[in-house]
Amino acid sequence: MDIQINKKINILRAIVMGANDGIISIAGVVFGVYGASMSTWTIFLAGLTATIAGTFSMATGEYVSVNAQLDSERSAKDAQKMALTNNFSQEAQFLIQHYRTDGISAENAQLLAQQSMQKDALKETLNARYGINEDDFISPTDAAIASMVAFPIGAFLPMISMTFVPVAYRVITTIVFVIGALILTGYFSAVYGNTPKKTMILRNVMMGLLTMFMTYLIGLLMAL
């Protein structure tokens, strides 16, 4: 049950981050194009093209990233298997010291290490030495699919509001929608990352606004 929960949390994290990237990236694109040209068709086409490119970029990037993480884990696991084969007692002593640094008494640390080494020596020492918990990893394919679905969902909001809202209300509506979406993704990112919510939300919103401002400014300069 714990393994399944951990994997679901990591999938949700990939979805939130994918949606967040979609919001910020496409908001930047449509504001940049809006600064250079107020043509609704041009804005929509640029947003759609960037959404398609971003979707596949996020999917392939997530796939490569998770695979790289898994390769690193496999390398550490092979090294730890060899260490256990050649120096089992030394690894047991390391585990005892690891438990002692957590504030466990010498007697209890020795008993706990003995039980851990008998139950699953590789898993326990791998976690103690490298901080690796195999239960937390998701498959590269699952991560790629999650990002592929989430990115266009996040991108949809700024692209549609910038192209279908009347021109007089287009900018303010898009900004409000984007801020609202970034507050949500910032909140969930903080929850999954166990970080301060206010700080994460503020940082997320500020980076989104900065992206929109800078791309809009560049668009204005390109239109001169």
Side-chain angles (χ1 to χ4, degrees), residues 42-63:
T42 302
I43 295 171
F44 177 77
L45 186 60
L48 181 61
T49 303
T51 299
I52 295 172
T55 297
F56 286 98
S57 176
M58 280 293 297
T60 55
E62 194 72 28
Y63 184 83

Side-chain angles (χ1 to χ4, degrees), residues 12-140:
L12 288 173
R13 184 183 293 115
I15 291 173
V16 169
M17 297 308 296
N20 194 71
D21 285 347
I23 295 165
I24 295 177
S25 299
I26 304 307
V29 169
V30 295
F31 265 90
V33 177
Y34 180 78
S37 171
M38 296 184 66
S39 168
T40 299
W41 172 247
T42 302
I43 295 171
F44 177 77
L45 186 60
L48 181 61
T49 303
T51 299
I52 295 172
T55 297
F56 286 98
S57 176
M58 280 293 297
T60 55
E62 194 72 28
Y63 184 83
V64 170
S65 175
V66 174
N67 263 312
Q69 193 173 15
L70 289 175
D71 288 341
S72 176
E73 181 210 16
R74 292 187 190 104
S75 178
K77 182 189 283 189
D78 290 340
Q80 193 58 32
K81 282 181 179 178
M82 186 174 296
L84 287 169
T85 300
N86 298 331
N87 300 291
F88 190 88
S89 60
Q90 184 176 333
E91 292 302 307
Q93 287 300 316
F94 173 82
L95 200 58
I96 292 172
Q97 292 303 316
H98 176 73
Y99 291 147
R100 290 294 308 277
T101 59
D102 289 339
I104 300 176
S105 66
E107 183 180 353
N108 288 335
Q110 186 169 0
L111 180 60
L112 182 59
Q114 182 180 1
Q115 293 174 344
S116 298
M117 295 296 281
Q118 290 176 350
K119 181 179 180 182
D120 195 334
L122 178 60
K123 179 179 179 180
E124 294 298 330
T125 54
L126 195 63
N127 189 23
R129 281 198 177 277
Y130 302 100
I132 292 175
N133 186 351
E134 295 177 283
D135 297 341
D136 290 340
F137 287 98
I138 57 176
S139 77

Side-chain angles (χ1 to χ4, degrees), residues 65 81 127 165 179 194 198 207 212:
S65 175
K81 282 181 179 178
N127 189 23
V165 172
I179 288 175
N194 196 27
K198 290 183 179 179
M207 290 300 101
M212 289 187 289

Side-chain angles (χ1 to χ4, degrees), residues 186-187 190 195-204:
Y187 173 81
T195 56
K197 296 180 180 62
K198 290 183 179 179
T199 302
M200 187 64 188
I201 290 172
L202 181 61
R203 185 188 301 136
N204 207 36

Side-chain angles (χ1 to χ4, degrees), residues 182-192 197 200-201 204:
L182 291 176
I183 289 173
L184 287 176
T185 55
Y187 173 81
F188 285 112
S189 295
V191 170
Y192 297 138
K197 296 180 180 62
M200 187 64 188
I201 290 172
N204 207 36

